[in-house]
Amino acid sequence: MYRYACVFVAFAAAVSPVLAQAPENAPGVTWEAAPLPDVKPVQISLTTDMVERFVASLPTLLAMTRDLDREQGRVDPTAAEEDLSFVLVPYLFDPKIEAHINEKLAEFGFASYAEWANVAHSVSLVEEASDFTGAIDLAGQEQAARAEIEANKALSDEERSKAIDELKSQFAALAEFEPLPGNRETAAPFLERLRAARGR
C-alpha cells in the first residue's frame, strides 16, 4: 500500500535517463541549467467530476508520454504502472513541451500539470488501498506501539523519549499515504476504468 512513499525516488529514476541521454547541444532546453519542475503532488479531497476528468485524460496523457519517450530516445520508456503523478515530469524541463502538455490538460479542465498531478496522486492512493475493506487504524496502531514502548522497563527515559519521537515521525509519514476521508468512496467507481487505461 505504501509504494507511493517512494514517489520522489520514482521521480529521480524517471528524470535520470532523460538527463543522461540529452546531448550537450540539445535544442529547446539547456539540461544542465534547467530548474527542477515544481511538481510536488499532495493529497486533495476528490470530487466525482475531478476523477471523471482525470480518467478521461489518461489515454491522451499516456499516449503523449509514449510519443515523447520515443522522440527523446529514452532507453527505458515510462511504464503505465509507475506513479502517474510523475509520468510526464521529465519533459516539464522544456517550456515548449510543458506548454503543449498544459494545453492538452486544459481540454480536460485542468489548469496545469501540477493540478492534474494532485488528482493523479490522490486517485493512485485509493487504487493502492483498494484491496483493503476499510481505512487502516493508524492512530490505534500508534497508540498500541507507544504503550509498548512506555511499558518497556529496559529503556532509559532518554531512550524511551527518542523511541516515541521516532514512532510519531514514522506514523506521520504513513498517514500521508492513507486516502483522505471520502476519497475511497469517490474514486472507487472509476478504478476499473483507471486500470483499463493503464493496461492492467
Side-chain angles (χ1 to χ4, degrees):
M1 174 181 177
Y2 301 112
R3 175 163 59 90
Y4 289 90
C6 299
V7 289
F8 291 105
V9 175
F11 162 68
V15 172
S16 296
V18 177
L19 297 181
Q21 296 164 31
E24 292 182 5
N25 60 349
V29 64
T30 303
W31 294 98
E32 294 84 352
L36 288 174
D38 187 19
V39 179
K40 300 174 184 176
V42 296
Q43 271 208 84
I44 59 173
S45 294
L46 297 169
T47 66
T48 299
D49 176 63
M50 281 180 191
V51 183
E52 176 72 53
R53 289 185 288 110
F54 167 71
V55 174
S57 74
L58 271 182
T60 297
L61 268 288
L62 292 176
M64 184 181 296
T65 302
R66 288 190 293 271
D67 290 343
L68 287 169
D69 285 347
R70 185 172 56 255
E71 290 169 10
Q72 301 294 326
R74 278 192 75 178
V75 175
D76 299 311
T78 306
E81 62 267 18
E82 292 179 11
D83 185 355
L84 288 175
S85 58
F86 287 98
V87 71
L88 279 166
V89 166
Y91 300 110
L92 299 181
F93 288 95
D94 187 324
K96 291 181 180 178
I97 296 177
E98 180 183 18
H100 181 57
I101 291 169
N102 286 333
E103 284 175 7
K104 284 294 181 184
L105 286 173
E107 296 175 8
F108 299 95
F110 293 101
S112 66
Y113 187 86
E115 180 180 299
W116 183 88
N118 287 342
V119 178
H121 180 60
S122 303
V123 172
S124 293
L125 290 179
V126 174
E127 184 184 14
E128 281 286 297
S130 62
D131 291 336
F132 297 86
T133 56
I136 296 174
D137 183 14
L138 291 177
Q141 291 183 16
E142 181 179 1
Q143 185 176 3
R146 177 170 181 151
E148 188 175 336
I149 292 171
E150 291 175 340
N152 189 339
K153 303 300 183 183
L155 296 176
S156 67
D157 289 345
E158 182 179 350
E159 289 171 334
R160 186 175 294 107
S161 177
K162 183 178 180 180
I164 289 173
D165 286 344
E166 290 177 353
L167 182 73
K168 288 179 180 177
S169 177
Q170 291 167 357
F171 273 87
L174 289 177
E176 293 182 12
F177 300 97
E178 170 69 8
L180 292 177
N183 277 3
R184 290 175 187 246
E185 294 78 4
T186 301
F190 297 91
L191 292 185
E192 289 304 314
R193 286 174 56 194
L194 171 65
R195 290 169 180 144
R198 295 174 71 156
R200 289 184 172 180

